Amino acid sequence: MLYGSIEAGGTKFVCAIANEHLEITERVSFPTTVPEETMKQVIAFFEQYKNELAAIGVGSFGPIDIHQDSKTYGYITSTPKLAWQNFDFVGTLKKVFDIPITWTTDVNAAAYGEYVFGQGKGLSSVVYYTVGTGIGGGAIQEDQFIEGFSHPEMGHMLVVPHPDDNFKGNCPFHGNCLEGMAAGPAIEARAGKKGQDIPADDPVWEIEASYIAQCAYNTTLLFSPDVIIFGGGVMKQRHMVEKVHRAFEELLNNYVKTPKIENYIVTPSLEDDAGTFGCLALAKKADLHVN
Ligand code: ADP
Ligand code: ZN
């Protein structure tokens, strides 16, 4: 019995196979080009295991249609990546693999990975953000994703500009939303170089921390979760989490008593594997549900 994982990202796809204990036995990666090419590689990879494959979990870039009763369930919808607009992702897989296929956003998948195996293990309510090329968020309550007419788009919450920041924000929809002010490309546009090349003592990180802290503040007041996890490339700056703690405590001003800050606002313990483990755990859950 094997489980498959597809992490469909805007720049690359990562596919993995795991055994029933969710130990990864093989993993491959392909660049995200056009569906005809990339999906062919995905299908060829899983076809090797067709006889033993019990379920596949997909975590996809979006926006995606997650409504089971919708005609376009399983599609990537209005993505800026033109070749993938209105692409029937789940349908394409189902034609070849007649097994349960779970379908959620890439950030929900990472949130689920951390919920089952990482910083959310044993907790009932987890919110996860990725701060990378964009900012996305996913929330889980008692093993279910929080969603309504669609999946959340928490990365586009509005933030109040830092007094020392004259950058106007680069989200094409909202300007100074969190993604527009604090994702990797915003850091680069403000500083003239990529985040990974900016030293830890540069004042840009205090500005960055103030936006991430506003996100943690909003998240705290909206969900009162047990933990808030910040992952993604930008959070590889290990000094950031402490700056966020300070800015968050100042903002919250003891209005509510959160869990101890070091255990409350954290970075992912699965690092870059959160999405893959989340997809695998979702695949296993779907398999157990039908059998
Ligand atoms: P993606 O969001 O594309 O899946 P990442 O989470 O790695 O991938 O995010 C990429 C963004 O994060 C880029 O804007 C990059 O400049 C920034 N980034 C990557 N590594 C670091 C780092 N060590 N420090 C700060 N920023 C980083
Ligand atoms: Zn926005």
Side-chain angles (χ1 to χ4, degrees), residues 162 164-165 190-191 198-210 239-240 243:
H162 186 283
D164 299 335
D165 188 13
R190 191 184 282 115
I198 303 174
D201 60 359
D202 193 293
V204 84
W205 295 120
E206 287 297 340
I207 292 173
E208 178 71 10
S210 83
H239 54 91
M240 272 295 291
K243 291 185 170 75

Side-chain angles (χ1 to χ4, degrees), residues 137-219:
I140 296 169
Q141 175 82 40
E142 299 291 358
D143 209 49
Q144 300 294 322
F145 294 119
I146 293 179
E147 54 202 20
F149 72 90
S150 185
H151 51 81
E153 287 284 355
M154 304 184 216
H156 293 263
M157 67 177 73
L158 291 179
V159 289
V160 178
H162 186 283
D164 299 335
D165 188 13
N166 50 27
F167 183 62
K168 295 286 174 246
N170 58 3
C171 173
F173 293 92
H174 319 111
N176 69 319
C177 68
L178 179 64
E179 178 170 302
M181 295 301 268
I187 297 172
E188 189 176 346
R190 191 184 282 115
K193 52 188 164 187
K194 287 190 185 302
Q196 51 268 53
D197 302 325
I198 303 174
D201 60 359
D202 193 293
V204 84
W205 295 120
E206 287 297 340
I207 292 173
E208 178 71 10
S210 83
Y211 296 128
I212 307 292
Q214 289 186 54
C215 170
Y217 169 92
N218 290 337
T219 304

Side-chain angles (χ1 to χ4, degrees), residues 86-268:
N86 305 312
F87 173 65
D88 182 6
F89 201 121
V90 174
T92 302
L93 291 174
K94 275 272 182 194
K95 271 189 212 142
V96 187
F97 305 102
D98 187 21
I99 53 177
I101 293 172
T102 68
W103 174 242
T104 192
T105 59
D106 44 6
V107 65
N108 267 356
Y112 200 71
E114 285 290 323
Y115 172 72
V116 176
F117 300 109
Q119 295 278 22
K121 198 172 166 182
L123 303 178
S124 66
S125 164
V126 168
V127 181
Y128 177 99
Y129 290 92
T130 179
V131 188
T133 305
I135 300 183
I140 296 169
Q141 175 82 40
E142 299 291 358
D143 209 49
Q144 300 294 322
F145 294 119
I146 293 179
E147 54 202 20
F149 72 90
S150 185
H151 51 81
E153 287 284 355
M154 304 184 216
H156 293 263
M157 67 177 73
L158 291 179
V159 289
V160 178
H162 186 283
D164 299 335
D165 188 13
N166 50 27
F167 183 62
K168 295 286 174 246
N170 58 3
C171 173
F173 293 92
H174 319 111
N176 69 319
C177 68
L178 179 64
E179 178 170 302
M181 295 301 268
I187 297 172
E188 189 176 346
R190 191 184 282 115
K193 52 188 164 187
K194 287 190 185 302
Q196 51 268 53
D197 302 325
I198 303 174
D201 60 359
D202 193 293
V204 84
W205 295 120
E206 287 297 340
I207 292 173
E208 178 71 10
S210 83
Y211 296 128
I212 307 292
Q214 289 186 54
C215 170
Y217 169 92
N218 290 337
T219 304
T220 297
L221 300 181
L222 288 166
F223 298 108
S224 311
D226 293 321
V227 68
I228 307 174
I229 306 164
F230 287 103
V234 172
M235 294 308 290
K236 299 233 159 99
Q237 296 285 327
R238 286 302 178 207
H239 54 91
M240 272 295 291
V241 71
E242 207 207 300
K243 291 185 170 75
V244 172
H245 288 167
R246 273 189 275 115
F248 169 80
E249 289 194 314
E250 202 173 304
L251 264 182
L252 190 64
N253 200 17
N254 288 319
Y255 181 66
V256 290
K257 192 167 158 24
T258 67
K260 200 162 174 276
I261 191 92
E262 293 78 19
N263 305 327
Y264 181 56
I265 297 176
V266 299
T267 52

